[in-house]
Amino acid sequence: MTYEFLTADTIADYISANPRLAEQVDVGAITEVKEVGDGNLNLVFIVHDAHGGGVVLKQALPYVRLVGPDWPMTPDRARHEAEALQFHGRLAPALVPEVYLFDAERYILGMEDLSDHRVWRGALNDGLRHEGVAALMGEYVAAVAFGTSIFSVDPEEQKMIAARSANPELCTITEDLVFTEPYFENGRNSVLAANVKDANELAADDVMVRAMGNAKWSFMTHGEALIHADLHTGSVMVRAASGDEGPVDSAKAFDSEFAFYGPVAFDLGALWANYTIAAARATALGEDDRADWCMNLCAETWTAFEATFRASWPERRDARVFTDGFGDDLVARWHDETWVFAAAKMARRIVGLAKTKDIESLPEELREGAARGVLDVARAAVRERESGPASENYIAMASQILRATTTR
Ligand code: SR1
Ligand code: MG
């Protein structure tokens, strides 16, 4: 597959040739072209002009950037991202970046410049508290759950959209890296020597492996909604209303190239997992108060998700068998699945490929306990959800484990 890759030198010409982009940036007054792709897959450029204009250009490479050309990967993922952002943007315009252009020949997405925002994971790692983001992400997941599913879309049309949204290669990454490889080594796992025993115990945990079988089955077969499918804290941009932290006036989910029709709780579990990982970092650093704040994000996301979904429920297209009782069952099922998807997402970020800066940037002596804590929370989550699935139970359980395993 050959197509021309963007470079800092060719960006101005590319913008000039695309009127929708040229509306955002004055090409005659460009002051800065920065390559900022710190994800695992793509090239990302931010372009600024002297008048305060800006645009982001993201180009999918035909391989996984993290690994290189030895791992080929369809650049059609850029179309999935564009189409998901556009659909989600119609449902929750404030909660995703605006898309200006999708170039199907060069797999380039032109979108809103969010330079006045920052990536939430980075802010969390700097010890900052952005208030309200977790609730906004709960609202986003609920808007997607309701608005892209058969509760809002004509069922025949929904099937056509789901077919177009099938994203097999990206789903394979998740099926392998999230659900399988932490338990069946494929040459991509790694941990500190001090955590080898923890990783071996995880892989030998029959209860965990069985839970991962159930979760993977759900991921591979439950086409409930056009989910984001990679909704970690590195896929969220945040902007404080004033200063560096505090209440936010904007939060946006981006990087939705993994989007496909999948289980709603997968996105909720991804958020919970990454809140827990942020809490593990705070605990390791001796910041117990901030760890509690991070863990409480789980409740904020869930509460907002449930309230938003329930508020939409009376508007569903067909209430005949999708009764209020069914709606209650669905919400309860999603809460239960959130625990298990969170467990899957935590374990993979400790043991498998594509780890998190939250844990990896800790000094080794602290990283040992934080990694162990996250793995122990994952193994406890798949067991303890059966004893009472309230978010508060998860928070209490995880906080206690993270404190008990710290090596500070
Ligand atoms: C090979 S891609 C590795 C990971 O990066 C993305 O953010 C997804 O989480 C994926 O699993
Ligand atoms: Mg990503």
Side-chain angles (χ1 to χ4, degrees), residues 122-187:
L124 288 162
N125 286 347
D126 286 349
L128 301 175
R129 303 184 198 198
H130 286 82
E131 305 288 351
V133 187
L136 290 173
M137 288 303 106
E139 290 174 22
Y140 164 71
V141 177
V144 167
F146 193 81
T148 66
S149 69
I150 50 95
F151 299 131
S152 287
V153 183
D154 169 79
E156 291 189 9
E157 192 191 340
Q158 184 270 344
K159 289 175 183 65
M160 298 307 290
I161 301 170
R164 190 178 162 74
S165 306
N167 198 351
E169 288 189 41
L170 281 278
C171 281
T172 298
I173 292 180
T174 304
E175 289 155 21
D176 290 345
L177 295 191
V178 175
F179 296 111
T180 307
E181 292 186 9
Y183 315 93
F184 296 90
E185 165 70 61
N186 188 25

Side-chain angles (χ1 to χ4, degrees), residues 40-41 64 66 71 173-174 177-178 230 232 258 345 348-349 353-354:
N40 298 319
L41 295 170
V64 174
L66 173 69
W71 188 348
I173 292 180
T174 304
L177 295 191
V178 175
D230 197 22
H232 53 79
F258 282 75
K345 300 283 269 183
R348 67 75 55 112
R349 292 291 184 201
L353 186 74

